[in-house]
Amino acid sequence: MRKIVYKLYWDYEKEEAWLNRMVETGWALVHYSVGRYVFDACPSGAYIYRIELLDQAAKHRKSKDYLTLLEESGIEHIASYANWIYLRKRADQGPFELYSDLDSRIAHYRKIKKMWLALTLAEGTVAFVNIGIGLLILGHNAMTWFSLTLIAASCVLAVFFVIYLRRIGKKIGILEEERLVRE
Amino acid sequence: MSESETQGALTEAVFYILLALHTPLHGYGIMQLVREMSDGRVDLGAGTLYGAINTLLARHWIVPHQADEGSRRKDYVVTDEGRHAVQIEMERLEELLTNGKQIMEGRGDEKNCL
């Protein structure tokens, strides 16, 4: 049996938690492309899913060694999107964590923060350009509503990006505080 | 070797990876050996291990080891610098342990004195 769900996530940890809840209800992710999740029926709780951001796309030759390592340690590479990879391991093979110490968890969060920062800057630029265009065409009634909608949309998006960036920043802060006393 | 490479504690992951690589081994082999050496306590995550391998390669504490022709797995082995780092870390750990034992195990007597 197969099931397709359309959904968009900002937060990869929420996405990961959702994939693991789907497994509990007997659905295992088998394909992913932007916003489209394909699930196959599975015994409830059969797998643990993890999502990870790599330095390069999974197809890149520099990712090959890592993917080999994953495969050997019983981890299946289910799907990729940009530099993100979707992984799973059979739950009966024990716990599945990609990062086993604070340093590497902090490094992974930093990588994600950097990527979102770049996206936020790009989005912010789009918002400013929209505002600029809006000011230029002020008074030309036919375009005003269109322009206002664009401005509102890009500003709302930028606010969401900034909120998410701050959330990642907080997570890094908590781990760094813990890192002061232990590894 | 620069000072920054010899000062400070090694992470547990780095220490065990360097130990595991006293004989050439590939990534998954390191994971298994470290788990075995630590009686299952240290279970290196694939992401953690891969990051540490790259850091150690950049520092020349480990180097790729010529594996069998056609093998798609990469083997690594510890270098003299890597061994040196382990040696220094062991001396540091010994100092910690000696001091810890002296004070913690002597604590009961101290209390009686007070």
Side-chain angles (χ1 to χ4, degrees):
Chain A
M1 264 217 305
R2 187 154 271 209
K3 172 157 140 174
I4 297 172
V5 181
Y6 293 90
K7 221 170 156 97
L8 274 178
Y9 276 98
W10 304 93
D11 183 337
Y12 82 102
E13 286 175 299
K14 284 188 178 157
E15 183 180 10
E16 190 181 273
W18 174 63
L19 293 177
N20 286 315
R21 283 200 304 277
M22 288 298 283
V23 176
E24 292 307 315
T25 59
W27 292 100
L29 181 78
V30 288
H31 292 295
Y32 172 78
S33 48
V34 196
R36 183 174 181 268
Y37 298 82
V38 181
F39 295 91
D40 274 355
C42 72
S44 167
Y47 301 100
I48 302 165
Y49 279 80
R50 294 283 175 244
I51 303 172
E52 185 180 16
L53 183 66
L54 302 181
D55 289 324
Q56 287 91 14
K59 287 189 295 248
H60 197 281
R61 88 193 138 74
K62 280 192 181 164
S63 300
K64 210 185 71 190
D65 286 347
Y66 184 54
L67 293 176
T68 307
L69 174 62
L70 290 174
E71 194 186 312
E72 283 176 347
S73 43
I75 298 165
E76 265 182 279
H77 174 205
I78 296 296
S80 327
Y81 166 64
N83 289 8
W84 293 97
I85 50 172
Y86 292 71
L87 306 168
R88 78 175 180 193
K89 191 173 175 178
R90 275 177 41 199
D92 59 13
Q93 292 183 347
F96 173 23
E97 294 296 346
L98 292 164
Y99 295 102
S100 49
D101 61 22
L102 289 169
D103 283 335
S104 55
R105 285 172 67 198
I106 291 170
H108 186 230
Y109 274 135
R110 286 221 180 102
K111 202 189 297 179
I112 290 163
K113 192 179 168 191
K114 210 168 128 190
M115 186 212 67
W116 276 99
L117 195 63
L119 282 181
T120 307
L121 289 177
E123 220 293 310
T125 310
V126 170
F128 272 113
V129 168
N130 282 339
I131 292 171
I133 293 173
L135 288 175
L136 280 178
I137 62 168
L138 201 69
H140 299 268
N141 281 339
M143 292 297 285
T144 305
W145 280 110
F146 179 66
S147 172
L148 280 177
T149 314
L150 270 186
I151 290 171
S154 47
C155 287
V156 165
L157 208 58
V159 167
F160 271 118
F161 281 25
V162 169
I163 290 173
Y164 183 60
L165 267 179
R166 288 190 54 177
R167 204 188 302 162
I168 299 178
K170 263 185 203 161
K171 282 177 186 177
I172 294 174
I174 290 169
L175 292 179
E176 277 176 341
E177 207 165 288
E178 182 70 13
R179 185 67 184 85
L180 292 175
V181 289
R182 71 178 187 96
E183 203 181 279
Chain B
M1 189 182 298
S2 75
E3 277 185 35
S4 65
E5 284 178 49
T6 56
Q7 285 177 350
L10 300 184
T11 68
E12 189 173 77
V14 162
F15 185 78
Y16 266 131
I17 293 167
L18 290 174
L19 278 190
L21 289 178
H22 265 235
T23 52
L25 208 56
H26 52 87
Y28 184 52
I30 298 173
M31 269 186 193
Q32 287 173 309
L33 186 54
V34 169
R35 202 178 298 138
E36 201 180 297
M37 279 196 279
S38 65
D39 268 334
R41 187 181 62 83
V42 181
D43 196 0
L44 290 176
T48 302
L49 173 62
Y50 188 68
I53 286 176
N54 283 329
T55 309
L56 294 175
L57 283 171
R59 289 194 156 213
H60 289 284
W61 284 8
I62 63 172
V63 284
H65 183 262
Q66 191 64 50
D68 304 332
E69 285 299 313
S71 169
R72 66 194 187 106
R73 300 200 293 210
K74 245 188 214 159
D75 280 19
Y76 306 93
V77 70
V78 71
T79 61
D80 286 343
E81 285 103 314
R83 280 175 211 268
H84 183 63
V86 172
Q87 191 55 48
I88 288 174
E89 178 66 5
M90 280 165 60
E91 283 160 20
R92 194 188 67 87
L93 290 172
E94 234 158 48
E95 176 214 295
L96 291 182
L97 200 61
T98 311
N99 285 328
K101 275 183 177 163
Q102 236 171 40
I103 293 186
M104 298 301 282
E105 284 164 17
R107 217 168 97 187
D109 302 337
E110 277 171 36
K111 266 186 191 160
N112 290 342
C113 290
L114 291 171

